[in-house]
């Protein structure tokens, strides 16, 4: 796997390295997040998973809240997916596939028709970082 390099040519879109790499990995996780969200939407029978244990007089009390856990996971996934998809809206249609292919599939980009996709990749990642509130 080759190292990811941030474009520094457009200074207004340069991010700290830690933010840049978090953003890259968030985008790479998009497919898994979408399939997990689909899984959660299909699996609505939470009564099978519910249990609670309350020990009277004991030191430990454990209560499982499967509905709350389900709702939190679903909201977090929806927010992250929405942040990535809305940032993708700023990228022209002709470059979206190239940008996502480079990030998710880690294609080198040498075979891409021109180098404008790098500019759109940087703008896209900057938008994702802003949407995920990684940049203040």
């Amino acid at each position: 796997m080759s190292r990811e390099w941030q474009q520094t040519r457009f200074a207004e879109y340069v991010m700290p390295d830690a933010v840049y790499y978090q953003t890259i990995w968030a985008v790479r996780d998009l497919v898994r997040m979408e399939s997990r969200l689909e899984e959660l939407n299909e699996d609505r029978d939470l009564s099978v998973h519910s249990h609670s244990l309350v020990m009277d007089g004991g030191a430990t009390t454990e209560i499982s809240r499967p509905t709350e856990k389900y709702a939190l996971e679903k909201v977090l996934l929806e927010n992250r997916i929405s942040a990535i998809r809305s940032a993708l809206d700023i990228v022209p249609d002709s470059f979206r596939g190239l940008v996502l292919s480079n990030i998710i599939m880690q294609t080198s980009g040498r075979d891409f028709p021109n180098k404008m996709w790098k500019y759109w990749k940087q703008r896209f990642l900057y938008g994702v970082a802003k949407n995920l509130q990684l940049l203040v």
Side-chain angles (χ1 to χ4, degrees):
M1 175 171 47
S2 64
R3 186 183 186 296
E4 273 291 336
W5 295 99
Q6 182 174 191
Q7 295 294 312
T8 57
R9 189 173 186 187
F10 304 100
E12 66 269 21
Y13 299 115
V14 174
M15 300 174 275
D17 284 344
V19 173
Y20 180 77
Y21 290 115
Q22 285 180 60
T23 307
I24 287 285
W25 283 105
V27 174
R28 284 183 181 156
D29 197 30
L30 181 63
V31 174
R32 185 205 59 87
M33 289 188 294
E34 288 176 335
S35 67
R36 177 64 182 146
L37 183 61
E38 189 176 309
E39 215 175 86
L40 288 173
N41 287 332
E42 290 172 358
D43 184 28
R44 297 194 183 254
D45 185 19
L46 297 174
S47 61
V48 175
H49 306 293
S50 68
H51 72 279
S52 63
L53 173 65
V54 178
M55 300 171 66
D56 195 1
T60 318
T61 304
E62 177 185 327
I63 299 176
S64 174
R65 296 184 174 113
T67 305
E68 180 182 3
K69 181 181 174 188
Y70 164 83
L72 283 173
E73 183 179 5
K74 186 174 178 196
V75 166
L76 287 171
L77 286 172
E78 287 172 343
N79 288 341
R80 289 180 69 86
I81 292 168
S82 173
I84 295 168
R85 290 288 176 195
S86 66
L88 194 58
D89 289 341
I90 65 168
V91 179
D93 290 338
S94 58
F95 291 103
R96 285 182 189 170
L98 301 175
V99 168
L100 288 177
S101 173
N102 177 258
I103 296 170
I104 296 173
M105 305 301 286
Q106 300 176 18
T107 56
S108 69
R110 287 188 203 116
D111 298 332
F112 295 167
N114 61 39
K115 297 190 185 279
M116 270 307 286
W117 67 272
K118 292 180 181 181
Y119 169 75
W120 289 110
K121 175 185 174 182
Q122 189 67 25
R123 283 199 60 185
F124 165 65
L125 291 173
Y126 186 84
V128 172
K130 288 293 256 189
N131 291 349
L132 290 176
Q133 299 176 348
L134 298 174
L135 291 173
V136 191

